[in-house]
Amino acid sequence: MGCENYKNKPITIRKPQIKDGNQIFHLVKKCKPLDINSLYYYLLICAHFDQTSVISELDNEIIGYISAYINPHQKNTLFIWQVAVHPGVRGQGLATKMMMDILRRNEVKPAKFIETTVTPSNQASMSLFGKIASKLDTNLQKFPFFTSDLFGESNHEEELLLRIGPLNK
């Protein structure tokens, strides 16, 4: 994708549709260090979690994606599962714009907290969620969550739980 002229073109931010699953799958492949899930996973996200997830498009190509859901064990918590932004448009605030789009939705209004998991080495995600907490003028807390031993022999880094809130809507 040639994203050089992206600032002069409109970016559409919207809820995902089932037909977007394949493009999302290929976007995530370009977004290291994200874990790549199956294409089936992305189709399900588009089908079942479209009200709490978001995509961004430029010239009919998906350049941004966030999967999220309301935690069934904590109905006041929006869990952000995956954030992907095409390498050619990073650093322009697109992830923040997508997050704010989700937070404005009626389906998310009851949420008082945002949670996500992030590996300590993923500085881009750590920075993003720090900016979100600052923009929302609320707290960001970090807790141990998925320790590396839970991932078996995969050598997966631990995942910290980041909790933003309470949200002052």
Side-chain angles (χ1 to χ4, degrees):
M1 168 182 193
C3 295
E4 311 78 39
N5 297 322
Y6 122 85
K7 291 183 182 178
N8 300 325
K9 296 181 180 178
I11 292 177
T12 302
I13 297 176
R14 63 172 174 81
K15 295 175 183 175
Q17 300 170 4
I18 292 173
K19 68 180 178 70
D20 299 320
N22 192 40
Q23 271 198 66
I24 292 168
F25 174 71
H26 289 288
L27 170 66
V28 173
K29 283 184 174 181
K30 298 174 188 171
C31 295
K32 303 223 181 290
L34 291 180
D35 290 332
I36 301 167
N37 296 293
S38 70
L39 175 55
Y40 182 79
Y41 157 87
Y42 296 104
L43 292 169
L44 277 178
I45 291 296
C46 293
H48 294 175
F49 298 105
D50 59 315
Q51 301 298 310
T52 51
S53 298
V54 69
I55 63 163
S56 295
E57 288 181 301
L58 174 66
D59 291 336
N60 296 314
E61 183 175 350
I62 295 174
I63 59 167
Y65 158 74
I66 297 177
S67 57
Y69 61 87
I70 300 296
N71 184 331
H73 301 289
Q74 297 172 280
K75 303 265 187 222
N76 69 345
T77 302
L78 175 70
F79 186 85
I80 305 299
W81 194 336
Q82 205 166 37
V83 178
V85 174
H86 189 285
V89 295
R90 288 185 184 157
Q92 308 297 318
L94 184 58
T96 300
K97 289 176 187 169
M98 290 190 298
M99 283 286 303
M100 299 313 289
D101 182 85
I102 293 171
L103 292 173
R104 283 191 290 272
R105 296 179 186 170
N106 287 334
E107 297 86 358
V108 179
K109 294 274 187 222
K112 297 294 178 205
F113 296 93
I114 300 168
E115 290 186 344
T116 192
T117 63
V118 178
T119 58
S121 66
N122 188 340
Q123 290 305 305
S125 287
M126 290 288 188
S127 176
L128 169 64
F129 289 104
K131 288 176 189 170
I132 296 293
S134 179
K135 188 172 184 73
L136 296 173
D137 192 28
T138 194
N139 302 316
L140 171 81
Q141 297 175 292
K142 298 175 188 175
F143 304 97
F145 193 55
F146 294 141
T147 56
S148 57
D149 62 302
L150 293 172
F151 293 100
E153 296 179 17
S154 68
N155 292 323
H156 193 289
E157 191 177 359
E158 73 173 317
E159 295 269 352
L160 298 174
L161 179 71
L162 277 54
R163 184 171 174 89
I164 298 170
L167 303 179
N168 307 310
K169 296 184 196 180

